[in-house]
Amino acid sequence: MDFEGITSLVTLWPEGFLSGGLKMYMVESKGGAIVCMCLALLFLGTWPALLTLLERRGRLPQHTYLDYTITNLLAAVIIAFTFGEIGSERPNFLDQVTQDNWQSVLFAMAGGIVLSLGNLATQYAWAFVGLSVTEVVSSSITVVIGTTLNYFLDDKINKAEILFPGVGCFLVAVCLGSAVHASNAADNKKKLSGFSGHSKYGAENQSMSPSNETHMNSVGKNDMENGLASVEKAKFGTALYLIQLENKRSIKVFGKGTVIGLVITFFSGVCFSLFSPAFNLATNDQWHTLKDGVPHLTVYTAFFYFSVSCFILAIILNISFLYRPVLNAPKSSFKAYLSDWNGRGWALLAGLLCGFGNGLQFMGGQAAGYAAADAVQALPLVSTFWGVILFGEYRRSSRRTYMFLAGMLSMFIIAVGVLMGSSGHRK
């Protein structure tokens, strides 16, 4: 392959971003690793918003996740057969499939299992706790546990004097995020308590008010089918908006306690904190489980096995959830899933974004250290942006809520910069 011809097309990338020629593409510079982490941050912060949008439009979470997991695996296959197959200096993807490296494969697949469980849990936590707070809490647990584990697994290649203050910034942001949630919940409670057509946070009495009935009729049937349009016409942040959203969404949350949502969120955070260290062990074999002479799994091979296990578990669980749903979600069937094309394109796009986002995170981590790559756990920055733009989160909230929100976002920005600044270079 004429690598010089290719490099002329990527002159805008940081010098040394891709290492090629007679070997596969590998990220080997700090600048390239930061580019990977920034793109991963954007992708991993966007796909949760797409799944949340579909749930709010009434699409069953089982249907959405089945679509999502197909393209999530597709992204890993694309990465393996492109970046993983270029060149010959290091073992290529197909070469490693036949090698005696099952120990590292198991670590990669274990990482995929815990990630699948975490992603599946957050899909329900978004409905109960909210997009922004779910992402903040789960990401903070990932940083505190996962980043600490990766720091020691990576033989402390990251700068501790920078890395751990960054972890502290995340913890401060978590506290502020919790304050945002509490303040916003109080704001919503006040709105609903003053709404004449609302009874005990249920939407069944919405038509009690003549003015509300007139408004609903003015929205129109077509807008109700479009989901988001009906909510927009109710004006973001109003009590009527909250009630219409409850009527439309697939996971009903009014009148239910918040404890279960928080438990799900903490569970997802623990799962997320373990998948990156497992992947780290799969690619670097710090515990020396491979036989002498057997090369380490490349990041592309490990990511393939990682995604395969993630896919298998997601398929098994979600097909069972079609017939035996959890958290009082509606029942469905595999036939109904196949015929449900409403929003399928968004679910497929979400899977691609998550798959490529995880791949970019691992590619950056291989070069700069997985502890620094965990900076993408600041994805609530992006998720909060989409939450405000798409779903009108925090609209018409109190000044106190806005102050906490500004503080949370500020701390996340600082945390991202600090963690990226701690990145070292793998020898």
Side-chain angles (χ1 to χ4, degrees):
M1 172 174 288
D2 182 7
F3 184 70
E4 292 181 358
I6 295 177
T7 53
S8 65
L9 300 177
V10 292
T11 54
L12 295 179
W13 293 89
E15 183 179 358
F17 173 65
L18 293 177
S19 177
L22 296 177
K23 59 181 177 179
M24 71 179 66
Y25 285 162
M26 294 293 293
V27 179
E28 294 187 344
S29 73
K30 182 176 179 179
I34 291 177
V35 170
C36 284
M37 288 186 279
C38 287
L39 289 174
L41 176 63
L42 175 62
F43 292 171
L44 294 176
T46 298
W47 76 266
L50 296 179
L51 265 59
T52 300
L53 174 65
L54 295 177
E55 186 275 322
R56 287 176 170 231
R57 287 184 170 182
R59 194 167 197 253
L60 296 183
Q62 306 98 304
H63 293 186
T64 298
Y65 204 86
L66 284 170
D67 288 335
Y68 151 88
T69 197
I70 292 172
T71 48
N72 188 55
L73 176 62
L74 177 62
V77 173
I78 292 173
I79 290 174
F81 282 96
T82 53
F83 291 111
E85 276 296 296
I86 297 174
S88 59
E89 183 172 323
R90 295 184 61 171
N92 286 340
F93 167 67
L94 291 178
D95 295 333
Q96 290 209 306
V97 170
T98 60
Q99 291 175 349
D100 185 16
N101 50 24
W102 61 267
Q103 300 93 332
S104 294
V105 169
L106 290 180
F107 279 122
M109 298 188 76
I113 289 173
V114 291
L115 177 68
S116 184
L117 290 173
N119 283 340
L120 185 60
T122 55
Q123 186 178 213
Y124 292 90
W126 293 327
F128 284 93
V129 183
L131 178 63
S132 299
V133 174
T134 298
E135 296 301 314
V136 166
V137 173
S138 61
S139 293
S140 69
I141 296 174
T142 301
V143 170
V144 173
I145 300 177
T147 299
T148 302
L149 291 175
N150 279 324
Y151 173 74
F152 290 103
L153 287 174
D154 282 336
D155 197 24
K156 304 179 182 181
I157 70 173
N158 299 95
K159 303 170 185 176
E161 65 275 14
I162 301 178
L163 175 65
F164 289 106
V167 173
C169 290
F170 271 105
L171 291 176
V172 173
V174 169
C175 296
L176 291 172
S178 300
V180 171
H181 175 57
S183 181
N184 192 57
D187 293 341
N188 289 340
K189 183 176 181 180
K190 184 176 180 180
K191 295 172 189 175
L192 293 170
S193 64
F195 186 66
S196 60
H198 177 268
S199 175
K200 201 175 180 179
Y201 296 176
E204 66 274 10
N205 295 326
Q206 177 181 321
S207 61
M208 290 177 62
S209 171
S211 61
N212 296 338
E213 184 175 0
T214 301
H215 178 88
M216 288 296 292
N217 290 335
S218 68
V219 171
K221 181 178 180 180
N222 290 335
D223 287 337
M224 287 296 290
E225 290 176 351
N226 290 334
L228 195 59
S230 64
V231 179
E232 288 177 338
K233 292 190 176 182
K235 294 184 179 180
F236 284 130
T238 64
L240 185 58
Y241 163 82
L242 298 174
I243 293 173
Q244 287 183 2
L245 174 60
E246 177 72 4
N247 282 342
K248 186 65 178 177
R249 72 188 318 161
S250 59
I251 302 176
K252 307 301 181 183
V253 299
F254 276 2
K256 296 180 181 178
T258 59
V259 174
I260 187 170
L262 291 175
V263 170
I264 296 172
T265 302
F266 277 101
F267 172 77
S268 67
V270 172
C271 290
F272 291 148
S273 70
L274 297 177
F275 85 83
S276 182
F279 194 91
N280 195 349
L281 286 167
T283 55
N284 294 301
D285 191 34
Q286 291 93 334
W287 291 351
H288 307 291
T289 58
L290 294 175
K291 296 179 181 178
D292 292 339
V294 177
H296 295 174
L297 289 185
T298 67
V299 66
Y300 310 112
T301 306
F303 185 50
F304 173 79
Y305 286 115
F306 173 93
S307 299
V308 166
S309 64
C310 187
F311 172 81
I312 293 173
L313 181 62
I315 291 294
I316 294 173
L317 291 179
N318 279 279
I319 289 180
S320 65
F321 288 165
L322 289 174
Y323 301 93
R324 295 179 180 176
V326 296
L327 299 175
N328 296 322
K331 287 185 178 181
S332 184
S333 65
F334 193 71
K335 181 179 179 180
Y337 158 69
L338 293 176
S339 62
D340 181 12
W341 287 89
N342 182 23
R344 173 158 287 164
W346 291 115
L348 295 174
L349 175 60
L352 287 175
L353 290 175
C354 183
F356 283 113
N358 283 326
L360 287 166
Q361 178 189 4
F362 297 143
M363 289 165 65
Q366 183 67 12
Y370 288 95
D374 278 335
V376 301
Q377 298 307 327
L379 58 89
L381 268 175
V382 181
S383 296
T384 299
F385 171 79
W386 291 122
V388 172
I389 298 298
L390 289 178
F391 312 129
E393 289 184 347
Y394 313 117
R395 298 282 183 91
R396 294 177 173 80
S397 293
S398 64
R399 180 178 297 179
R400 174 182 174 136
T401 298
Y402 290 139
M403 290 178 61
F404 285 137
L405 179 62
M408 181 188 75
L409 295 178
S410 297
M411 290 308 303
F412 266 110
I413 293 173
I414 295 172
V416 172
V418 171
L419 258 68
M420 287 189 173
S422 74
S423 61
H425 191 279
R426 193 180 301 281
K427 298 180 181 179

